[in-house]
Amino acid sequence: RDFYSWLLDVGEEKAWINEKIKSLNLDGTRDSLPAVNRLLKKYDLLERELDTHNQHIDTVIIAAGNAIIESRTPHSIEVDTHMKELKESVGVLYNICAAHKACLTDEAAHLNFNWKAEAIEVFITQKERHVLTEDVGSDLTSCEVLIARHDNYITSLNSFKDNIDSLTSLKDR
């Protein structure tokens, strides 16, 4: 492989890396849990794509660059510099991707916590008026209805306990 062909491959990889870095700065909206989850999926795909490009860089570009250096051409120093810059650029992209993904993971946990807290508040508000009633019933039938309503409330509260426990675990994170 000649130097100029190799240099073209290096330029293409650097352009791809720069394009990805720019696109990461224009992430998109983070105002809802589905939006954050979409961005997390985007980062998973980007990591796989980056792994593929990194493997190509190692197996093709770096190997060819080392062959050019070993042939002791006048371009050896330039080739070595380009290889170091390319590996450094890949490292920067990995770091940016990891930092963005960590922020998104935190944001997803925060939004999930808020969503669950709101759901619990709505649930409690809906059930609270049944518990706080001072109606004790005026006859046997109305008392039985109130007791059945209370039993249903207790059953739904027990089944909703898992949601409250998961909210507590989210808070602790």
Side-chain angles (χ1 to χ4, degrees):
R1 241 183 127 146
D2 71 337
F3 170 72
Y4 296 104
S5 167
W6 179 86
L7 197 57
L8 183 63
D9 286 346
V10 169
E12 287 175 0
E13 287 297 330
K14 283 183 178 179
W16 181 84
I17 291 168
N18 289 334
E19 174 189 324
K20 292 301 175 184
I21 289 173
K22 286 178 186 174
S23 75
L24 292 180
N25 293 330
L26 305 172
D27 261 345
T29 182
R30 298 177 180 197
D31 61 348
S32 68
L33 189 56
V36 171
N37 285 335
R38 278 192 298 278
L39 287 173
L40 282 169
K41 286 180 185 177
K42 174 185 170 184
Y43 278 93
D44 288 340
L45 291 172
L46 177 61
E47 284 176 339
R48 286 196 294 266
E49 192 177 0
L50 185 53
D51 289 341
T52 301
H53 274 266
N54 193 36
Q55 186 178 19
H56 172 73
I57 288 168
D58 287 341
T59 58
V60 177
I61 295 176
I62 300 296
N66 287 331
I68 293 171
I69 290 171
E70 289 171 8
S71 69
R72 300 186 190 272
T73 66
H75 303 291
S76 294
I77 294 173
E78 188 178 351
V79 168
D80 187 54
T81 302
H82 280 294
M83 287 191 314
K84 287 177 183 173
E85 287 174 354
L86 188 58
K87 288 306 282 181
E88 185 178 304
S89 296
V90 168
V92 166
L93 183 55
Y94 269 117
N95 290 340
I96 291 171
C97 189
H100 282 227
K101 191 171 180 183
C103 283
L104 286 170
T105 302
D106 290 346
E107 185 69 22
H110 173 75
L111 289 169
N112 195 28
F113 176 84
N114 287 343
W115 176 78
K116 285 187 176 194
E118 287 174 12
I120 289 171
E121 284 180 25
V122 167
F123 172 80
I124 290 172
T125 302
Q126 289 174 344
K127 302 300 179 182
E128 193 173 44
R129 63 188 161 104
H130 296 295
V131 174
L132 296 178
T133 185
E134 293 186 20
D135 184 13
V136 291
S138 57
D139 58 10
L140 179 62
T141 306
S142 62
C143 286
E144 287 174 344
V145 168
L146 288 173
I147 290 172
R149 187 179 298 153
H150 183 75
D151 288 343
N152 286 338
Y153 173 72
I154 296 296
T155 303
S156 64
L157 187 61
N158 287 335
S159 68
F160 208 72
K161 185 181 180 314
D162 291 338
N163 289 338
I164 294 171
D165 291 342
S166 71
L167 182 67
T168 304
S169 71
L170 282 173
K171 174 197 70 85
D172 293 340
R173 285 197 293 173

Coordinates of all heavy atoms in Angstrom, one line a residue, residues 27-39 104 107-108 110-112 114-115 118:
D27 N -27.3 16.4 20.4 CA -28.0 15.2 20.8 C -29.5 15.2 20.5 O -30.0 14.1 20.2 CB -27.9 15.1 22.3 CG -26.8 14.2 22.8 OD1 -26.4 13.4 22.0 OD2 -26.5 14.3 23.9
G28 N -30.2 16.2 20.8 CA -31.6 16.2 20.7 C -32.2 16.5 22.1 O -31.5 16.8 23.0
T29 N -33.5 16.3 22.2 CA -34.2 16.7 23.4 C -34.1 15.7 24.4 O -34.0 14.5 24.2 CB -35.7 17.0 23.0 OG1 -36.3 17.4 24.2 CG2 -36.4 15.8 22.5
R30 N -34.1 16.1 25.7 CA -34.1 15.2 26.8 C -35.2 15.5 27.8 O -35.1 15.3 29.0 CB -32.8 15.4 27.6 CG -31.5 15.2 26.8 CD -30.3 15.5 27.6 NE -29.1 15.2 26.9 CZ -28.0 15.1 27.4 NH1 -27.8 15.3 28.7 NH2 -26.9 14.8 26.6
D31 N -36.3 15.9 27.2 CA -37.4 16.4 28.1 C -38.4 15.3 28.5 O -39.3 15.6 29.3 CB -38.2 17.5 27.4 CG -38.8 17.1 26.1 OD1 -38.5 16.0 25.6 OD2 -39.6 17.9 25.5
S32 N -38.2 14.1 28.1 CA -39.1 13.0 28.4 C -38.4 11.7 28.5 O -37.3 11.6 27.9 CB -40.3 12.9 27.5 OG -39.8 12.4 26.2
L33 N -38.9 10.8 29.3 CA -38.2 9.5 29.4 C -38.1 8.8 28.0 O -37.0 8.2 27.8 CB -39.0 8.6 30.4 CG -38.3 7.3 30.8 CD1 -36.9 7.6 31.4 CD2 -39.2 6.6 31.9
P34 N -39.1 8.8 27.2 CA -38.9 8.1 25.9 C -37.8 8.8 25.0 O -37.1 8.1 24.4 CB -40.3 8.3 25.2 CG -41.3 8.4 26.3 CD -40.5 9.1 27.4
A35 N -37.7 10.1 25.1 CA -36.7 10.8 24.4 C -35.3 10.4 24.9 O -34.4 10.2 24.1 CB -36.9 12.3 24.5
V36 N -35.1 10.3 26.2 CA -33.9 10.0 26.8 C -33.5 8.5 26.4 O -32.4 8.2 26.1 CB -33.9 10.2 28.3 CG1 -32.6 9.6 29.0 CG2 -34.0 11.7 28.6
N37 N -34.5 7.6 26.5 CA -34.3 6.2 26.1 C -33.9 6.1 24.6 O -33.1 5.2 24.3 CB -35.5 5.4 26.4 CG -35.7 5.1 27.9 OD1 -34.7 5.2 28.6 ND2 -36.9 4.9 28.3
R38 N -34.5 6.9 23.8 CA -34.1 6.9 22.4 C -32.6 7.3 22.2 O -31.8 6.7 21.5 CB -35.0 7.8 21.5 CG -36.3 7.2 21.1 CD -37.0 8.0 20.0 NE -37.3 9.4 20.5 CZ -38.4 9.7 21.2 NH1 -39.3 8.7 21.6 NH2 -38.7 10.9 21.6
L39 N -32.2 8.3 23.0 CA -30.8 8.8 22.9 C -29.9 7.7 23.5 O -28.8 7.5 23.0 CB -30.6 10.1 23.7 CG -31.2 11.3 23.0 CD1 -31.1 12.5 24.0 CD2 -30.5 11.6 21.7
L104 N -27.0 10.6 30.4 CA -28.3 10.2 29.9 C -28.9 9.1 30.9 O -30.1 9.1 31.2 CB -28.3 9.7 28.5 CG -28.2 10.7 27.4 CD1 -27.9 10.0 26.1 CD2 -29.4 11.5 27.3
E107 N -30.1 11.0 33.8 CA -31.3 11.7 33.4 C -32.5 10.7 33.3 O -33.6 11.0 33.8 CB -31.1 12.4 32.1 CG -32.3 13.3 31.7 CD -32.5 14.5 32.6 OE1 -31.5 14.9 33.2 OE2 -33.6 15.0 32.6
A108 N -32.3 9.5 32.8 CA -33.4 8.5 32.7 C -33.8 8.1 34.1 O -35.0 8.0 34.3 CB -32.9 7.3 31.9
H110 N -33.6 9.9 36.8 CA -34.3 11.0 37.4 C -35.8 11.1 36.8 O -36.7 11.3 37.6 CB -33.6 12.3 37.1 CG -34.3 13.6 37.5 ND1 -34.4 14.0 38.8 CD2 -34.9 14.5 36.7 CE1 -35.0 15.1 38.8 NE2 -35.4 15.4 37.6
L111 N -35.9 11.0 35.5 CA -37.2 11.1 34.9 C -38.1 9.9 35.3 O -39.3 10.1 35.6 CB -37.1 11.2 33.4 CG -36.5 12.5 32.8 CD1 -36.2 12.3 31.3 CD2 -37.5 13.6 33.0
N112 N -37.5 8.7 35.4 CA -38.3 7.6 35.9 C -38.7 7.7 37.3 O -39.9 7.4 37.6 CB -37.4 6.3 35.7 CG -38.2 5.0 35.8 OD1 -39.3 5.0 35.5 ND2 -37.5 4.0 36.3
N114 N -39.3 10.6 38.8 CA -40.4 11.6 38.8 C -41.7 11.1 38.3 O -42.8 11.3 38.9 CB -40.0 12.8 38.0 CG -39.0 13.7 38.6 OD1 -38.8 13.6 39.8 ND2 -38.3 14.6 37.8
W115 N -41.6 10.2 37.3 CA -42.8 9.6 36.7 C -43.5 8.7 37.7 O -44.7 8.8 38.0 CB -42.5 8.9 35.4 CG -43.7 8.2 34.9 CD1 -44.7 8.7 34.1 CD2 -44.0 6.8 35.0 NE1 -45.6 7.7 33.8 CE2 -45.2 6.5 34.3 CE3 -43.3 5.7 35.6 CZ2 -45.7 5.3 34.3 CZ3 -43.9 4.5 35.6 CH2 -45.1 4.2 34.9
E118 N -45.1 10.8 40.6 CA -46.3 11.4 40.2 C -47.4 10.3 40.1 O -48.6 10.6 40.5 CB -46.2 12.0 38.8 CG -45.4 13.3 38.8 CD -45.1 13.9 37.5 OE1 -45.8 13.4 36.5 OE2 -44.3 14.8 37.4

